Amino acid sequence: MTYAKPAPQDSGETGPGTQSVNAEGQVELAPGAYPADSPYANEDLRPVPLADRHWTTYNFAALWIGMAHCIPSWTLASGLIALGMDWKQAVFTIALANVLVLFPMLLTGHAGPKYGIPFPILARASFGIRGANLPALLRAAVACGWFGIQTWIGGQGIFVLLDKLFDGSFAKTSVIGGQPWALWLCFLLFWVLQLAIIYRGMETLRRFENWAAPFVLVGAAVLLIWIADKAGGFGPLLDQPSTLGWGAEFWPVFFPALMGMIGFWSTLSLNIPDFTRFGRGQRAQVWGQTLGLPTTMTLFALMSVLVTSGSQAVYGEPIWEPVPLAAKADNAFGLVFALITVLVATISVNLAANVVSPAYDLSNLAPRLISFRTGALITGVVGVLIFPWELISTPEFYIFVWLGVVGGLLGTVAGILITDYWLLRRTHLALVELYVKEGRYWYRGGWNWRAVTAFVVGAVLAVGGSHSAPGKGPFPEDGLIPFLKPLSDYGWAVGLASAALLYLLLSTGSRDRAAGRGIA
């Protein structure tokens, strides 16, 4: 293996002979500097050449619009209505959550257009070249869970709508494993369709997101107009009262719900460099994400809560899932339109949010054996084996257990990454050394014990007090670790803050600071 090694006292960004910086501050490796024969490198993990970083503001905004307009994000807002909030409380909770999660999204996304690297390679700077597998596999496991949830929802949506379209014949098929075989068939076909698209690569995904985003928005608007017509206008949609009020009953629901809403996109706050690495510059990713995420999620949340409130006014109970609600349409055109919308919406978010990341993460585990495409196939298989239908069985389990625990763990990783990249390294990285054993990011045996220690402590503080109401979830009523129970409702914030602070304390003033910003 041959590469030019930076001088030991350099900033980490402009090692002689290894990398160059353009006028926009974007870094590119010099010809021949990339160690293609390294066991820690492959073509999918290599920095994206400057010539191939061409995603624009619209591409990033369309990516977020396509991801936000999905059934699980719909059920976030409608689930809050089912838990007792009114439309104003639900929209406020979701809007605040998405403004808060945007900040770590932009901070971690900065490394993408600057260095052209995906999330697991960025994680090597803080966790070590081998240690990066810890956050990468955690993120991959969460993504596999989300992929399974989305695929099950999509398959279920196809089944319900086709069953209604063909007068109930699908539901009458024989039962296998507790479900009609036709439902399993819809699930399988939807699974194959998604993997076929992602197998064609990131450019195919970009083109798909560009047209999927406006289509799904139109579909949601049509559903809103339909339920408003059923309810006799928008008045009944806005009149459904909160059963919680704004007093003592509201806040115990609000704070864990807020953390759950943040947890929904805490996954992307880690692996957003997987996408921003293709960005034309920082302006494209900053404006694209700012215009795409909080605005879209708030608008979609407003549509969702209005439709759910309308279902309560029309049918006497809130129908928090859009597929059963759409199945109440009484004409074939409405059902077919709803079916296509469900397909496009679910594919749009599932491929971008839940296949790209684990494909890179699994490739990072064994770069010489697992390519991006192989990682995508592994994700698809694992996503089925986790029984995703159990994760969304109730609003309580979905929001407080699944999203709350996921948010707490991933917030911990985000705190470490942001602290390392922004506070300790000041955004300077020795790019070539992220791929070699001899570099400054090898630490001890490929692991940085400071990052691992901060992660473990932050994770325990964030999710150690996880608890469930009797019969509502898998945790003890008093919490896994009872004295940490008060922290569990703030899991994402606790994980991010505690891990960031501990990692900063462990790293500042260490003997490695003498090496400069490289922090060996």
Side-chain angles (χ1 to χ4, degrees):
M1 179 192 324
T2 58
Y3 66 96
K5 191 171 183 177
Q9 298 298 322
D10 70 26
S11 68
E13 183 175 302
T14 56
T18 64
Q19 56 194 52
S20 58
V21 185
N22 68 7
E24 305 247 337
Q26 294 176 286
V27 179
E28 185 172 38
L29 284 177
Y34 179 75
D37 58 337
S38 168
Y40 306 104
N42 65 24
E43 285 303 301
D44 294 310
L45 298 176
R46 71 174 300 171
V48 175
L50 280 174
D52 294 331
R53 301 180 204 174
H54 51 67
W55 284 33
T56 64
T57 297
Y58 175 78
N59 293 141
F60 287 114
L63 177 75
W64 273 114
I65 294 172
M67 289 195 295
H69 292 158
C70 64
I71 295 175
S73 62
W74 180 282
T75 55
L76 281 182
S78 56
L80 294 180
I81 297 295
L83 290 172
M85 291 188 183
D86 64 16
W87 72 271
K88 296 184 290 294
Q89 292 169 331
V91 171
F92 168 72
T93 303
I94 290 175
L96 178 59
N98 283 279
V99 169
L100 292 175
V101 82
L102 176 66
F103 289 104
M105 199 88 66
L106 296 177
L107 292 176
T108 54
H110 181 276
K114 181 168 184 177
Y115 294 101
I117 54 176
F119 158 65
I121 302 302
L122 174 62
R124 290 178 178 183
S126 53
F127 282 84
I129 289 180
R130 286 177 174 167
N133 287 313
L134 174 62
L137 290 180
L138 172 64
R139 173 64 184 95
V142 172
C144 289
W146 272 120
F147 177 82
I149 288 173
Q150 293 272 17
T151 304
W152 176 255
I153 289 175
Q156 191 179 44
I158 296 170
F159 171 80
V160 169
L161 295 173
L162 287 178
D163 180 65
K164 182 70 181 292
L165 191 62
F166 290 100
D167 298 322
S169 59
F170 272 48
K172 296 175 183 177
T173 56
S174 57
V175 174
I176 300 176
Q179 303 289 350
W181 67 260
L183 174 55
W184 293 115
L185 179 61
C186 291
F187 178 62
L188 176 62
L189 291 176
F190 192 59
W191 181 87
V192 171
L193 176 62
Q194 294 175 98
L195 292 184
I197 293 175
I198 197 64
Y199 198 77
R200 296 180 61 85
M202 290 293 289
E203 276 303 295
T204 299
L205 175 64
R206 181 179 68 88
R207 290 192 294 269
F208 180 83
E209 296 290 347
N210 283 347
W211 70 264
F215 180 86
V216 176
L217 182 59
V218 170
V222 169
L223 186 59
L224 174 61
I225 293 170
W226 171 72
I227 197 67
D229 180 66
K230 282 275 194 182
F234 284 94
L237 277 63
L238 301 173
D239 290 340
Q240 299 302 312
S242 168
T243 62
L244 302 174
W246 288 95
E249 294 185 8
F250 173 72
W251 301 109
V253 175
F254 169 75
F255 284 110
L258 180 68
M259 292 300 105
M261 300 304 105
I262 292 174
F264 188 76
W265 290 125
S266 64
T267 52
L268 268 294
S269 70
L270 292 185
N271 75 283
I272 194 65
D274 294 344
F275 301 97
T276 61
R277 66 192 297 229
F278 299 98
R280 183 175 292 172
Q282 295 298 340
R283 182 184 297 272
Q285 73 101 3
V286 169
W287 280 106
Q289 293 201 80
T290 302
L291 294 173
L293 173 58
T295 54
T296 301
M297 282 295 291
T298 301
L299 175 61
F300 203 54
L302 179 60
M303 288 184 175
S304 172
V305 297
L306 290 178
V307 170
T308 304
S309 294
S311 71
Q312 187 170 0
V314 174
Y315 301 107
E317 61 177 351
I319 302 175
W320 74 298
E321 294 186 80
V323 171
L325 181 60
K328 292 182 178 292
D330 51 8
N331 63 80
F333 175 79
L335 287 168
V336 171
F337 182 80
L339 175 61
I340 295 174
T341 302
V342 167
L343 278 171
V344 173
T346 308
I347 291 174
S348 177
V349 67
N350 219 15
L351 297 186
N354 304 319
V355 178
V356 172
S357 170
Y360 284 126
D361 297 337
L362 292 168
S363 180
N364 185 71
L365 180 64
R368 310 300 290 177
L369 299 176
I370 303 176
S371 66
F372 176 84
R373 289 180 170 86
T374 305
L377 294 176
I378 295 173
T379 300
V381 173
V382 175
V384 173
L385 297 179
I386 63 163
F387 305 115
W389 42 89
E390 295 294 336
L391 297 177
I392 55 168
S393 55
T394 67
E396 291 85 0
F397 195 100
Y398 175 50
I399 293 175
F400 297 151
V401 178
W402 169 246
L403 291 179
V405 171
V406 163
L409 293 175
L410 297 184
T412 302
V413 177
I416 295 170
L417 260 63
I418 292 170
T419 299
D420 183 83
Y421 181 70
W422 284 94
L423 299 183
L424 297 178
R425 302 186 192 282
R426 309 293 176 87
T427 75
H428 298 295
L429 296 175
L431 194 53
V432 74
E433 295 192 44
L434 290 167
Y435 298 90
V436 296
K437 182 176 180 179
E438 295 88 345
R440 70 189 69 190
Y441 309 116
W442 184 250
Y443 298 98
R444 295 182 181 178
W447 291 77
N448 181 6
W449 66 267
R450 303 178 191 88
V452 175
T453 300
F455 169 77
V456 172
V457 172
V460 171
L461 292 175
V463 304
S466 297
H467 58 93
S468 302
K472 297 293 187 179
F475 302 122
E477 185 177 359
D478 294 331
L480 292 172
I481 305 175
F483 75 90
L484 292 178
K485 182 179 177 180
L487 298 180
S488 65
D489 288 346
Y490 314 93
W492 179 81
V494 169
L496 186 145
S498 60
L501 179 59
L502 180 56
Y503 182 68
L504 183 62
L505 291 174
L506 292 174
S507 301
T508 303
S510 70
R511 63 179 178 82
D512 302 312
R513 291 293 291 167
R517 288 175 181 164
I519 311 180

